[in-house]
Structures are given as structure tokens and as C-alpha cells.
Amino acid sequence: KLDSLAGVLAGSSRGPIVKPGDTAGSELLRRLKGQSQPRMPLTGPPFLSDAEVGLFEAWIAAGLAPGSASASATSQASAAASAPIALRSGPPTWRDVAPIFATRCTRCHSPQGLMGPPPEGVLLTSYEGVLASADRARVVPGRPEVSELVRRIRGQSLPRMPFDGPPYLSDGEIDLITAWIAAGARDSAGTPAPVPVGARIRLRGVLSADGTLDGLELPLSSGREGGRGGRRDRSPQPGAGVEVRGTVQSDGSIAVERLRGR
């Protein structure tokens, strides 16, 4: 168990995982570095950064000193979580957002997460998994407003994610993921992802008085680009919960095929 200092010091059924002053013989550090397999965290890559691993190494080398749980430290951690996230120069890439998925999403959306198989088969352990659209597209590169992923982490579509929140993602984390999608959901090399033309989408939210979905316009499909003519079911009224289904067009817009009350 790694949720407390006592748990770390207790080790595992196979013996100690940290040894005071012995970095080479501490299994925890060997797993973090990949010197012992499987490398940890099990949801990686991405794994911990060199700086993060260095903190563990320095802590072990110094004798596993306990930290302070002072109110000052707690307030500093809280402030850091709500602070804007500093970006590298240029558009954000997968390298910028991958740590957020790894720490907040993959505990469920991995091959064997907290809930067993990943919910709805959605794997968020890799760039390819986040952009997968065989079932339906959760990310539409260049269009965060029609990306189900963004609407889920904002709470516009329910259930809000991460499912184990609150706390949910910080404003800075949400802004970073939104900016990443707006810039084309670029991979680690900075190459924008292609638009998944023809992929299905499913968005949920509240119908506004002006007929939009939380401000998102919902033009019904006329059947162009292979889509069927759109229809409204159950005559949803303003303020009602609705579900929107449609397909992604070549420009990233959505051809709404069905709008129904929930």
C-alpha cells in the first residue's frame, strides 16, 4: 500500500520495497526506473519524470525521513493544484496532457482498472486510445466544444469525469486539455491528428432557451456527407436534458442526426 508512509515502510508480501540509504537495493526505486519489471506506474507510459524519480531517490538516500503535514504545506499544495499550468512555447502536445490522463483517468480507463474492464471500452492509457473513434469519437481535433471528453471533464455532460471526483480536474488542467484539442490534438512530435470524418458522436447536456446545447449550436443534418436527415424525438423543451447524436464532418463540424429528450 502506497497511501501512507506506514504502508510504504511495511513493504509487500515479498519483503521491503525501500531500504534507508540504499537506493540500489530499494525495489520501489527500481520499479520507477524500469530496472525491475513491470515498470511502474503500471499505466505508463508516460512514467514518472526524471525529476520525480530523483525526489524518491533523494528521499531514500536521506534515510526515508517523514514529511510534515502542516497546514502551510496543505495550503501550498492546494494553491499549486488551482494555479494555471505553465506551457512550453508553441501549441500543447500529447506530452503536455499525458500526465493528466495518467494520474486522473487511467485508474479506471485502463485494461484492468478500479472498475474492472474500462468503462465503455474507452482506454485512456495512450495517445491512440484517447483519439480512438471506432465506437464513437470522444475527441474531435480542432473542436473542443463538440468533443465529449471536454464536456465530461467540465461537467456539461454527465456523469462528470473523473468518475471518482470530486475533486475533479483543476481549471488549469481542463484549460490545458481544451487547448490541446483546439490546437489539433497534436502527438508528442507536434503533428496534428486527422479529423475522424464519419465518426459518430454522442453529446449530452441541457437544452438552452435558444435551442443550443449549453451554447453549442445543433444544426440538424440534411443528409449531406452520407448523413441521414436529422430528427427530434420526445419534443425536448428548454431546460430539459437532451442527448445529441450525429457524425463528424470533414471540417470538424457535427451533422446532428438525432436530438432527443432524456
Side-chain angles (χ1 to χ4, degrees):
K1 293 184 177 181
L2 303 181
D3 57 353
S4 68
L5 177 60
V8 174
L9 297 180
S12 71
S13 59
R14 297 183 180 180
I17 61 171
V18 288
K19 299 178 180 180
D22 184 4
T23 55
S26 292
E27 182 66 11
L28 173 64
L29 190 59
R30 294 182 58 82
R31 292 291 184 109
L32 294 178
K33 289 182 173 182
Q35 296 171 332
S36 293
Q37 297 297 322
R39 185 173 184 177
M40 294 295 168
L42 197 59
T43 54
F47 297 105
L48 299 191
S49 67
D50 290 344
E52 291 170 324
V53 174
L55 286 175
F56 279 95
E57 190 163 18
W59 174 62
I60 294 171
L64 309 178
S68 170
S70 67
S72 174
T74 302
S75 63
Q76 290 176 5
S78 177
S82 60
I85 296 177
L87 295 176
R88 296 177 295 102
S89 59
T93 70
W94 172 247
R95 286 193 298 163
D96 296 302
V97 299
I100 303 175
F101 289 105
T103 57
R104 294 305 311 277
C105 305
T106 56
R107 63 185 68 185
C108 291
H109 290 279
S110 57
Q112 287 299 323
L114 294 179
M115 303 172 69
E120 297 189 17
V122 179
L123 289 170
L124 300 181
T125 53
S126 67
Y127 177 73
E128 293 75 17
V130 173
L131 293 180
S133 59
D135 171 37
R136 66 178 188 270
R138 275 90 178 174
V139 169
V140 180
R143 297 293 304 276
E145 69 277 12
V146 297
S147 295
E148 182 181 352
L149 175 65
V150 170
R151 295 183 60 82
R152 288 293 187 101
I153 61 177
R154 286 177 175 170
Q156 293 171 308
S157 292
L158 299 178
R160 185 172 185 177
M161 296 294 169
F163 194 66
D164 60 354
Y168 297 105
L169 300 189
S170 68
D171 290 343
E173 290 170 325
I174 293 174
D175 289 345
L176 178 54
I177 291 176
T178 301
W180 172 63
I181 295 175
R186 298 168 184 254
D187 62 17
S188 295
T191 304
V195 174
V197 178
R200 296 188 297 164
I201 61 98
R202 187 187 73 189
L203 306 177
R204 293 172 177 169
V206 177
L207 190 65
S208 304
D210 57 2
T212 65
L213 182 69
D214 305 315
L216 175 63
E217 295 186 0
L218 302 171
L220 290 176
S221 169
S222 61
R224 293 180 298 175
E225 292 200 39
R228 299 172 296 176
R231 73 178 192 266
R232 288 175 177 258
D233 295 340
R234 304 180 187 175
S235 300
Q237 300 299 311
V242 295
E243 179 178 277
V244 177
R245 297 197 180 212
T247 54
V248 181
Q249 306 299 284
S250 56
D251 62 354
S253 64
I254 301 300
V256 179
E257 298 175 352
R258 187 179 184 186
L259 174 63
R260 69 186 184 97
R262 288 182 49 82

